[in-house]
Amino acid sequence: VKKDGRNDSLIFGPEMRDELNRERDIKRELRRAISENQFSVYYQPKYDFNQQLIGAEALVRWFHPELGMIPPCDFIMIAEQANLIVAIGDVVLNDACSKLQEWQYSDETASLGMSVNFSAKQIRQKDFCEHFVEIIGAYNFDYARLTLEVTETALLEDLDVAIEKLTELKKLGIRVSLDDFGTGYSSLTHLKGLPIDEIKIDRSFVRDIKFDESDLIMVKSILDLGRNFSIDVISEGVEDVEQLNLLTKLGCQYFQGFYFGKPVPYTDFKHFIITEV
Ligand code: C2E
Ligand code: CA
Ligand code: CA
Ligand code: CA
C-alpha cells in the first residue's frame, strides 16, 4: 500500500491508473469495508406540500479509514459488479428497519415512511424476496411505511421477473417507487405493467425547471401521468423555494432536496422531527 502523506491513495491517486486497476482496488477495499463495517446510513428528509415531514430516504455512506467518506457514485456500480451490493444493501435495510421500528412507538413519528434504494443486482438474486422478508421480519413495524426505490433501467433488465418479485413484496404492504423517472426510455410503455406506488422525478428535470421549457414540460407530463394512474409523484433535488413553488403550482405533492435538508446521520435527522407544541 502506497502511503506518501498526500491526499491520494491507491484507489483515487492522481497517477493515471487504468480503469481495471482502479476497480480491482475498490473491490478489494469494499470487501474489507464489509467485514469491518465501514458503512453508515444517512437519512434525507421528505416533505409534503404543507411542509410537513413525511419520512426519509436511506442513503449509504462509506467511511474509509484513510480516504474518509467515499460517495455512493464512486462505489455502488463496482459493488454491483463484484456482487457485494447485497451485503451493503443488507446493512442499509437493517438500519432503515430499525428506525421504522423506533418510529412506530411515538405519535410524532408513527406516520413517517422510509425509502430504501435497491439495485437491479439485488432484485435479480434468486432468493431476493425470501431474503428481504427475513430481514424485515426481524423488526416490528407496519410494512406500508417501507418503500423500495428502484430505477426503471434496473427493472427493464428482466421485467417479468422483477414484476413478479415486486408484486410478491407488495402483497405484504411494501410500497414501490420508480426512481430517477424520466431518465430511462419508454417509461410510459412499461408503467402500466409495473406494480408502482410512486414515481420520483429525477433531479435533472427539477434543476432547470425555472429556465428550461422542455424540463418544465417533462415535469408537467410526469405529474399528469401520476394523476392519471393514481401514482404518487415526488420531486427530488429541490434546492430553492422558487423550484418548490413552481412544483407545488404544477400539483406536485411530495418533495425532497437540499432546500428541505441534506442526507445526514440519524442523530442529526432527529432535528427534522419537529415536536408539536
Ligand atoms: P438517488 O437514489 O437518486 O439518491 C438521490 C441523490 O441525490 C443522493 O446522492 C442525494 O444526496 C442527492 N440529493 C438529494 N437532494 C439533492 C439536492 O437538492 N441537490 C443535489 N444536487 N443532490 C441532491 P447520494 O447519497 O450521493 O447517492 C447517489 C446515488 O447512489 C443514489 O441516487 C442511489 O442511486 C445510489 N445509492 C445511495 N445509497 C444507496 C443504497 O443504499 N443502495 C443502493 N443500491 N444505491 C444507493
Ligand atoms: Ca433513490
Ligand atoms: Ca433519484
Ligand atoms: Ca438520481
Side-chain angles (χ1 to χ4, degrees):
V1 174
K2 181 175 68 65
K3 287 233 177 64
D4 59 9
R6 282 182 296 142
N7 185 24
D8 60 25
S9 70
L10 73 170
I11 296 186
F12 299 108
E15 63 274 4
M16 294 302 289
R17 293 182 150 272
D18 64 55
E19 192 60 21
L20 280 176
N21 280 338
R22 181 177 167 274
E23 284 189 15
R24 195 201 52 213
D25 290 344
I26 296 179
K27 278 176 196 168
R28 190 193 53 235
E29 290 297 308
L30 272 174
R31 282 194 194 90
R32 192 158 71 112
I34 290 164
S35 66
E36 294 179 6
N37 288 316
Q38 293 171 6
F39 298 100
S40 301
V41 183
Y42 275 31
Y43 292 92
Q44 183 177 34
K46 307 202 290 183
Y47 284 82
D48 70 7
F49 58 96
N50 289 319
Q51 311 235 17
Q52 288 263 71
L53 181 73
I54 55 164
E57 178 176 2
L59 293 155
V60 72
R61 295 290 179 265
W62 176 12
F63 290 93
H64 189 280
E66 285 116 46
L67 302 171
M69 206 257 272
I70 301 170
C73 59
D74 285 345
F75 69 87
I76 291 286
M77 251 174 62
I78 294 166
E80 286 167 3
Q81 287 157 17
N83 232 342
L84 299 169
I85 192 65
V86 175
I88 297 169
D90 287 355
V91 172
V92 180
L93 184 59
N94 273 288
D95 207 76
C97 287
S98 73
K99 269 59 187 187
L100 278 167
Q101 175 169 286
E102 184 185 318
W103 286 352
Q104 67 155 354
Y105 295 114
S106 152
D107 286 346
E108 278 128 35
T109 52
S111 64
L112 297 181
M114 179 71 81
S115 298
V116 178
N117 295 284
F118 280 81
S119 299
K121 196 72 182 250
Q122 289 171 275
I123 297 169
R124 261 189 274 124
Q125 302 292 310
K126 267 218 157 53
D127 66 342
F128 169 69
C129 288
E130 294 88 337
H131 188 65
F132 186 93
V133 167
E134 195 185 323
I135 291 178
I136 62 171
Y139 301 88
N140 183 18
F141 66 90
D142 175 2
Y143 290 159
R145 302 265 161 243
L146 179 59
T147 299
L148 214 142
E149 290 196 10
V150 285
T151 61
E152 186 193 7
T153 14
L155 294 185
L156 293 189
E157 279 171 41
D158 202 344
L159 192 63
D160 293 343
V161 179
I163 289 177
E164 217 171 276
K165 290 178 175 178
L166 293 177
T167 305
E168 192 176 330
L169 295 188
K170 273 178 64 72
K171 284 183 194 148
L172 303 171
I174 306 288
R175 297 175 77 253
V176 176
S177 174
L178 212 47
D179 205 352
D180 299 348
F181 193 78
T183 57
Y185 64 101
S186 58
S187 305
L188 199 60
T189 336
H190 296 100
L191 201 60
K192 64 175 164 75
L194 290 170
I196 292 299
D197 303 280
E198 178 189 276
I199 294 170
K200 207 163 197 183
I201 301 178
D202 191 69
R203 69 166 185 269
S204 61
F205 301 111
V206 173
R207 190 181 51 222
D208 298 329
I209 192 173
K210 286 178 281 179
F211 321 104
D212 190 321
E213 181 72 15
S214 61
D215 285 346
L216 181 71
I217 292 169
M218 189 71 192
V219 169
K220 275 184 181 166
S221 308
I222 297 174
L223 286 165
D224 275 342
L225 204 65
R227 275 187 290 267
N228 293 334
F229 282 86
S230 303
I231 295 170
D232 288 345
V233 179
I234 179 166
S235 294
E236 71 175 8
V238 179
E239 294 186 352
D240 60 49
V241 72
E242 287 91 9
Q243 290 168 337
L244 173 65
N245 288 341
L246 184 47
L247 288 162
T248 306
K249 207 179 77 185
L250 297 175
C252 187
Q253 295 187 299
Y254 306 104
F255 311 94
Q256 197 179 335
F258 295 169
Y259 174 74
F260 294 100
K262 293 190 172 180
V264 288
Y266 189 68
T267 43
D268 298 326
F269 181 82
K270 285 185 169 171
H271 299 304
F272 293 114
I273 302 168
I274 300 153
T275 317
E276 230 80 56
V277 278

